[in-house]
Amino acid sequence: MTQPPTRRNLLRLAAGSVAATPLAYAVPAAALPASPASGAALAAAAPPVTWSVQPFPLGQVTLGDGVFRRKRDLMLEFARSYPADRILAVFRANASLDTRGAQPPGGWETADGNLRGHFGGHFLTLVAQAYADTREAGLKTKLDYLVTALGECQLALADHGSPRPSHPGFLAAYPETQFILLESYTTYPTIWAPYYTCHKIMRGLLDAHTLTGNQQALTIVSKMGDWVHSRLSRLPQAQLDRMWSIYIAGEYGGMNEVLADLYALTGRAEHLAAARCFDNTALLDACADNRDILDGRHANQHIPQFTGYTRLFDHTGTTKYASAARNFWGMVVGPRTYSLGGTGQGEIFRARNAIAATLADNNAETCATYNMLKLSRQLFFHTPDPAYMDYYERGLTNHILASRRDARSTTSPEVTYFVGMGPGVVREYDNTGTCCGGTGMENHTKYQDSVYFRSADGNALYVNLYLASTLRWPERGLVIDQTSDYPAEGVRTLTFREGGGNLDLKLRVPSWATGGFTVTVNGVPQPAGAVPGSYLTLSRNWQRGDRITVSAPYRLRVERALDDPTVQSLFYGPVLLVARSQATTFRTFSFYKDFTLQGDLAASVKPEGRTLHFTTHGLTLAPFHIADTARYHAYFRRSEPVVVFGTATSGVPNRARTDGLTFLDVLWARAPFASQGAFLDAVRALTDTWLSQGLFSRTERDAVVAAAVRANLRR
């Protein structure tokens, strides 16, 4: 198929012609209107009865020292400093209100941009999350100022908008024209994605209400929900289906999710009915039937739809929504996931298992990972499958954490758009005004949202991520501290600082923890066996001062591309390691010749001296979350052409089975070997298998066994 132009490419073409002049000042707090919701209590909807697991409010989990907190602090500095009036400029201009001399942020957020307003919605969420986390009064003041101004814009549009909106709840940074044109199937880029923009504004307002207690935000977003219902409820499903199938123009973000969340607060049937107007019937039905039709579809156009379907299942009980979301997740995670946890090439889903074939400089749109993590959380709430949290950890640690540049900025979010997985690519940052700039602002002020969950009955605590943090659980009178150097290796310690009582503590055993997972309570080893890819449950009457230590030693491992096993990534525990090299072709690595009887990559990949840094083949391997502009190789080419054991070579080609695994791959997968004799037994058995399958001749079989006999491998 011919790939349509990406929004990122259009941004590059426009770069320079739409650069905005930054203001030299932020709005002083004294000049801001008083909050309409000062001291208001937060009004959150009760968790759905369909959730067996529930999250904690963002403000009840505090990050401890470490790389996650440092990245968060970089984004907090941006949130505090960026002028509110620049965010509001496009809204005020559309409502014919004074823009107060402010220029829009730039990028796609320009005075005439067809997506303008979306960045402001993300900024609302950024500031709301930042306030929920830090309780800084200045952040609340800024948020209330933004909400008040948006309320003024909504009223002005209803009163004297030109053209006058069809409903007084309309709020956008451009006229209603884009929405009208979509109903006649106008395509991108004549219009961009009007309901996508609408979603960002609605979500930002809803977050302002649920995270900070701003009542006016709920009033504004409720009226927007009424407007959406007034436009879409009159359209036949066939027309809606055609609209939502249009490339980008029909992209609606998480409209079904935000409307379902709004319904949970308002109880108004119109809001739930409006959410169901966003059923994308063909894809919804296919995924419910587990038919994979994703190839060629815009990835981030569709991922958030399925988070919305999980919320619609919560409110309607329609099982098709739930099964579609589960099946969709399985179509992406694994078959279409690169080693860092991202998906897509050039914003597009490619064929199943096409990993090596699609490595380039435009893989893994950061927005897509942001939304896959949201979907994984929602699915876990319904079914606490450890696989969801395994993926969550991968995407958070190796994509999201790596997406914020390690540099201060008060004028740019300094986040990634695409994250290339091809050889010798670089990360590009900034993204002011783009979709990934918007979600990127949010990513780094909610790291703690999935560290801990609780069971619906309050009798169990899930420890999903081993991040330094403090949990406050007032309903149980608990305060639990976690000390950790994650993502670096080390012992994690959980301490009951306050409270206690009977509680099932569910410790996630990551799927990568093949080197062991041991737990002690107050220094006493716990006998329960830990299985990688599961949860280990400790049930007891906990006391204040109880200490749980968790040790899961990291091991080096490779992960093979599904379509070409010779294309591989290297991990140390959960951490993706990338080779630093200026070359722009695959680096070729060979490891088996260095193996000992332990069968461990540590024989050929050596610590460099810095935490999580290694060397191999004369190159430095660094953790990917170090976010700079150095060229990197996330994948390398594995070359093991001849069967060789240490210095003993057989001269026999290292042939592969039909699944792409070579003789040496299969042999060393059986390691460690207790002795040289055990190693020889394994070689003899496997050479017989290769002989019976026609992969070795008898002469070759004998040569391989003879080389194994000559080898004197160390333990």
Side-chain angles (χ1 to χ4, degrees), residues 164-230:
R164 186 74 62 86
S166 63
H167 186 282
F170 176 73
L171 174 62
Y174 44 70
E176 203 172 6
T177 310
Q178 280 209 46
F179 299 91
I180 296 169
L181 288 172
L182 177 61
E183 292 171 12
S184 59
Y185 315 124
T186 302
T187 58
Y188 166 86
T190 302
I191 63 173
W192 276 41
Y195 282 102
Y196 175 96
T197 311
C198 181
H199 164 248
K200 306 313 168 194
I201 300 166
M202 291 185 69
R203 173 51 66 188
L205 288 163
L206 204 59
D207 288 341
H209 172 66
T210 58
L211 295 176
T212 80
N214 188 301
Q215 188 61 36
Q216 186 184 9
L218 180 60
T219 300
I220 298 169
V221 73
S222 182
K223 290 165 66 177
M224 290 183 72
D226 294 342
W227 166 78
V228 173
H229 181 262
S230 74

Side-chain angles (χ1 to χ4, degrees), residues 67-286:
V67 63
F68 286 89
R69 183 167 178 171
R70 290 194 295 273
K71 297 265 191 175
R72 182 210 65 177
D73 288 349
L74 290 171
M75 195 58 75
L76 284 179
E77 185 175 14
F78 174 77
R80 296 182 189 110
S81 303
Y82 200 81
D85 283 334
R86 293 195 67 185
I87 295 295
L88 294 166
V90 290
F91 291 95
R92 285 170 167 159
N94 185 52
S96 300
L97 298 175
D98 182 5
T99 62
R100 308 190 183 189
Q103 295 295 314
W108 302 339
E109 196 75 9
T110 61
D112 59 353
N114 275 349
L115 211 69
R116 61 189 185 271
H118 80 111
F119 201 67
H122 287 297
F123 194 80
L124 284 170
T125 295
L126 164 66
V127 180
Q129 289 178 172
Y131 174 72
D133 183 11
T134 66
R135 313 308 286 183
E136 291 180 18
L139 291 168
K140 182 66 163 68
T141 301
K142 175 176 278 191
L143 185 70
D144 291 342
Y145 178 77
L146 288 162
V147 171
T148 298
L150 290 174
E152 292 168 352
C153 291
Q154 188 180 52
L155 291 173
L157 286 168
D159 182 53
H160 53 76
S162 181
R164 186 74 62 86
S166 63
H167 186 282
F170 176 73
L171 174 62
Y174 44 70
E176 203 172 6
T177 310
Q178 280 209 46
F179 299 91
I180 296 169
L181 288 172
L182 177 61
E183 292 171 12
S184 59
Y185 315 124
T186 302
T187 58
Y188 166 86
T190 302
I191 63 173
W192 276 41
Y195 282 102
Y196 175 96
T197 311
C198 181
H199 164 248
K200 306 313 168 194
I201 300 166
M202 291 185 69
R203 173 51 66 188
L205 288 163
L206 204 59
D207 288 341
H209 172 66
T210 58
L211 295 176
T212 80
N214 188 301
Q215 188 61 36
Q216 186 184 9
L218 180 60
T219 300
I220 298 169
V221 73
S222 182
K223 290 165 66 177
M224 290 183 72
D226 294 342
W227 166 78
V228 173
H229 181 262
S230 74
R231 281 221 71 86
L232 298 183
S233 62
R234 58 184 176 81
L235 303 181
Q237 186 60 48
Q239 183 176 1
L240 294 170
D241 285 338
R242 185 172 171 184
M243 288 162 55
W244 308 146
S245 68
I246 301 173
Y247 173 78
I248 288 185
E251 182 174 0
Y252 59 73
M255 280 298 300
N256 48 2
E257 179 194 14
V258 74
L259 284 162
D261 288 349
L262 179 62
Y263 167 72
L265 290 169
T266 66
R268 298 193 56 211
E270 293 88 346
H271 294 157
L272 183 59
R276 302 194 75 167
C277 288
F278 291 92
D279 283 6
N280 187 4
T281 305
L283 184 59
L284 173 62
D285 288 350

Side-chain angles (χ1 to χ4, degrees), residues 298-630:
H298 187 281
N300 200 53
Q301 179 168 348
H302 297 98
I303 296 169
Q305 296 176 12
F306 290 86
T307 305
Y309 294 147
T310 66
R311 298 295 285 121
L312 283 170
F313 167 71
D314 293 334
H315 293 302
T316 69
T318 303
T319 57
K320 178 171 72 171
Y321 289 132
S323 58
R326 287 193 304 270
N327 293 337
F328 173 83
W329 188 90
M331 295 171 190
V332 177
V333 175
R336 292 184 172 88
T337 302
Y338 300 104
S339 53
L340 83 167
T343 188
Q345 181 198 30
E347 300 186 2
I348 305 298
F349 281 131
R350 300 307 179 189
R352 288 181 70 94
N353 304 334
I355 301 300
T358 59
L359 298 178
D361 63 356
N362 61 345
N363 302 118
E365 184 184 5
T366 305
C367 278
T369 301
Y370 160 91
N371 278 309
M372 283 302 299
L373 297 188
K374 289 184 68 175
L375 176 59
S376 300
R377 289 181 89 238
Q378 289 283 338
L379 291 171
F380 191 91
F381 295 154
H382 296 85
T383 306
D385 186 336
Y388 295 133
M389 284 297 113
D390 271 340
Y391 169 75
Y392 195 98
E393 179 185 58
R394 177 189 293 262
L396 183 72
T397 303
N398 297 302
H399 191 170
I400 299 305
L401 188 65
S403 69
R404 178 52 171 87
R405 187 176 184 178
D406 294 326
R408 297 175 62 186
S409 176
T410 59
T411 59
S412 163
E414 289 297 319
V415 292
T416 55
Y417 194 110
F418 294 123
V419 178
M421 290 282 99
V425 297
V426 297
R427 273 171 283 185
E428 297 178 359
Y429 303 94
D430 180 28
N431 284 298
T432 300
T434 71
C435 56
C436 291
T439 56
M441 291 190 295
E442 299 180 28
N443 280 328
H444 307 284
T445 51
K446 61 171 185 173
Y447 284 131
Q448 70 268 41
D449 73 352
S450 297
V451 176
Y452 309 100
F453 294 150
R454 48 165 289 179
S455 62
D457 61 11
N459 292 328
L461 175 67
Y462 289 78
V463 181
N464 305 310
L465 302 171
Y466 295 99
L467 272 62
S469 54
T470 298
L471 167 67
R472 291 172 175 81
W473 190 354
E475 296 88 347
R476 291 288 307 251
L478 290 175
V479 176
I480 298 176
D481 283 343
Q482 181 175 179
T483 57
S484 167
D485 290 328
Y486 185 89
E489 187 178 16
V491 173
R492 325 304 187 191
T493 302
L494 294 134
T495 304
F496 281 77
R497 294 295 184 195
E498 295 181 17
N502 292 313
L503 181 71
D504 291 341
L505 188 65
K506 293 181 175 291
L507 303 172
R508 179 172 150 266
V509 185
S511 59
W512 51 260
T514 56
F517 187 92
T518 58
V519 179
T520 68
V521 176
N522 300 327
V524 179
Q526 301 302 293
V531 178
S534 69
Y535 278 83
L536 176 66
T537 302
L538 301 178
S539 301
R540 61 186 287 152
N541 186 1
W542 301 95
Q543 306 294 322
R544 180 178 180 180
D546 281 346
R547 293 169 60 88
I548 305 97
T549 60
V550 177
S551 177
Y554 289 4
R555 296 182 65 184
L556 291 159
R557 73 179 193 282
V558 296
E559 290 189 358
R560 300 175 174 90
L562 298 170
D563 51 337
D564 184 350
T566 68
V567 175
Q568 302 179 358
S569 282
L570 190 61
F571 282 80
Y572 186 54
V575 178
L576 174 64
L577 300 175
V578 294
R580 295 296 180 90
S581 169
Q582 291 298 310
T584 55
T585 56
F586 279 116
R587 301 298 82 201
T588 300
F589 293 166
S590 178
F591 297 132
Y592 288 138
K593 59 183 172 52
D594 300 320
F595 272 24
T596 69
L597 293 176
Q598 296 301 311
D600 197 316
L601 285 165
S604 52
V605 179
K606 302 296 186 181
E608 188 225 46
R610 291 177 288 170
T611 301
L612 297 178
H613 285 71
F614 297 82
T615 59
T616 191
H617 296 76
L619 297 176
T620 295
L621 302 175
F624 193 45
H625 64 256
I626 295 177
D628 54 24
T629 56

